[in-house]
Amino acid sequence: MSSSSSIWTVPHRQLYIDGDWKDPILNKRLPVINPSTEDTIGSIPAATSEDVELAVTAARRALVRNKGKDWARASGAHRAKYLRSIAAKIVERKSELAKLEALDCGKPLDEAAWDMDDVAGCFEYHADLAEALDKKQKIPISLPMDTFKCHVLKEPIGVVGLITPWNYPLLMAVWKVAPALAAGCTAILKPSELASVTCLELADICKEVGLPPGVLNILTGLGAEAGAPLASHPLIDKIAFTGSTETGRKIMTAAAQVVKPVSLELGGKSPIIVFEDVDLDKAAEWTNFGCFWTNGQICSATSRLLVHESISVEFLDKLVAWIKGMKVSDPLEEGCRLGPVVSEGQYNKIKKFISTAETEGARRLCGGGRPEHLKKGFFIEPTIITNVDTSMQIWREEVFGPVLCVKTFRTEDEAVELANDTQYGLAAAVISNDRERCNRIAEEFQAGIVWVNCSQPCFCQAPWGGNKRSGFGRELGEWGLDNYLSVKQVTEYISNEPWGWYTSPSKL
């Protein structure tokens, strides 16, 4: 494999609607820019509202095509076979998919390969949940009256719109696609226009394994032209979105017009608390991993470091030493640990965050510029900002880049108060050798995800999601499957005696 991404191009694909490739009705396409080289390496189709209409029609037809052949009423075991076939193809094409993802969004190749393992595992896990659903779809309810019998049915919610981000292009899509299909929903996936290539390859895999037409439709394109009409469409039964808080608000507003349920996984500004009793090297590696993994472009990034004042100088020296050993390079180079950010727009946004912090009085301890050995591409060195005040933009707002800001603390109470002083509530981490303290702080964190003596591990068996302005609803685990299920109560009167509330006409 070449160590340079400059020779690569991406496959030329169309929209995937009703089990087939289709050109956009308006014949629009968008360029694919390699963030490592700034070169155009292909294009993706750009859907508009006209294409959304076709996809919605296809998905509704596939949902309840006719008795015995529709997706919604098929058994979970039947749906599981397709999910496992898709998983097998992901494994088979892992190397190719990882390279495409690295080219498309700048993710280091080793990370992208790890993501592909998770994609396959996610399909396998949800295949298991689909099979288990066959035994859980009819749940008996105990009643206080023996004249009635009651049960609850779990049914697919219907046609769902799935709008996903660019930092984990295929994995974040599959976090929604796999449970939606396992539940018996049909779906329309709209990935980010900044990184859609591997989602179109998922369409190719679905076609190859014979997924019934219309069960999964994939529309690439701009948010305003494809995402907005999907979110507001009256025949979409639910929207699931991962992305910025600003866009989440717009989706909620659009869905509210037709009283449509939504689940949102939005921004974050997550804290990591490091106490004085830690192994400094272990804590430093987890702190860097928590912020700089995925090139710092991760909603759960623990990008606010709270370090005990007694170790702050030594600990920051450790962080910088670890950063100096971090390879920043073309994502396809062996050993790359930090690639470029996804786009020129994102690059400029991050640079502005850094310059504003310095203007406000913060100090750039390291990083913040372009690495000297990289003349092109949207590369930003891993950056640490100190002398931060809690009123500063860099402390309060999500940067979505390789930038860690630092404050010290004296007491546990102060650390927790600083950690929770944010509009977000996605994730939080604590590092200490005192297990009781860790458990105590885990309970006090106002976040949906808590890490103890680590940062960023994620498993598809456990729920993922946040509080406050980080959104609501949970993905993954059985909680994620419930996102796509509707609960129906069925109550039956089983007594042979009349109800007897009104006087019988025969007795009048």
Side-chain angles (χ1 to χ4, degrees), residues 419-442:
N420 288 335
D421 182 23
T422 172
Q423 63 181 323
Y424 298 109
L426 182 55
V430 56
I431 301 183
S432 171
N433 286 330
D434 185 335
R435 180 163 291 183
E436 288 187 7
R437 175 162 58 191
C438 288
N439 291 337
R440 194 165 55 242
I441 290 176

Side-chain angles (χ1 to χ4, degrees), residues 103-255:
L103 287 169
D104 198 18
C105 71
K107 186 186 294 281
L109 184 61
D110 288 344
E111 285 190 31
W114 193 351
D115 286 354
M116 294 311 123
D117 290 336
D118 286 347
V119 167
C122 194
F123 274 116
E124 287 283 359
Y125 173 71
H126 285 92
D128 292 342
L129 290 187
E131 290 175 333
L133 195 58
D134 286 338
K135 298 177 182 179
K136 297 178 181 178
Q137 277 187 309
K138 186 173 181 179
I139 304 169
I141 302 296
S142 178
L143 299 177
M145 299 175 68
D146 59 10
T147 51
F148 293 92
K149 181 188 290 186
C150 182
H151 66 270
V152 166
L153 296 177
K154 287 191 172 184
E155 300 175 330
I157 202 167
V159 176
V160 295
L162 314 174
I163 303 176
T164 56
W166 44 260
N167 55 337
Y168 287 82
L170 188 54
L171 184 58
M172 293 290 99
V174 169
W175 277 18
K176 292 174 171 53
V177 168
L181 269 54
C185 295
T186 56
I188 301 162
L189 170 64
K190 194 284 177 191
S192 168
E193 61 269 24
L194 293 179
S196 299
V197 170
T198 49
C199 288
L200 290 172
E201 296 310 294
L202 174 62
D204 189 54
I205 288 171
C206 290
K207 188 171 177 63
E208 187 176 355
V209 304
L211 187 70
V215 169
L216 177 61
N217 307 272
I218 300 179
L219 306 180
T220 55
L222 297 172
E225 296 182 357
L230 184 64
S232 61
H233 201 290
L235 295 181
I236 295 288
D237 298 302
K238 176 189 171 67
I239 291 288
F241 170 75
T242 297
S244 72
T245 301
E246 180 183 355
T247 303
R249 288 192 189 101
K250 293 177 181 178
I251 286 174
M252 281 189 70
T253 300

Side-chain angles (χ1 to χ4, degrees), residues 8 20 55 102 118 169 173 241 276 379 383 395 403 406 434-435 466 468 484-485 488 497 507:
W8 290 86
D20 209 352
D118 286 347
F241 170 75
E276 71 279 10
F379 291 92
T383 305
W395 183 261
V403 180
V406 185
D434 185 335
R435 180 163 291 183
K468 301 182 183 178
Y484 302 98
L485 291 169
K488 178 189 289 182
E497 299 298 322
K507 294 181 180 180

Side-chain angles (χ1 to χ4, degrees), residues 31 38 86 108 130 200 240 262 330 355 372 400 431 445 459 495:
E38 304 177 44
I86 293 170
L200 290 172
V262 297
D330 184 307
S355 64
E372 291 183 2
F400 224 69
I431 301 183
F445 276 142
F459 303 94
S495 173

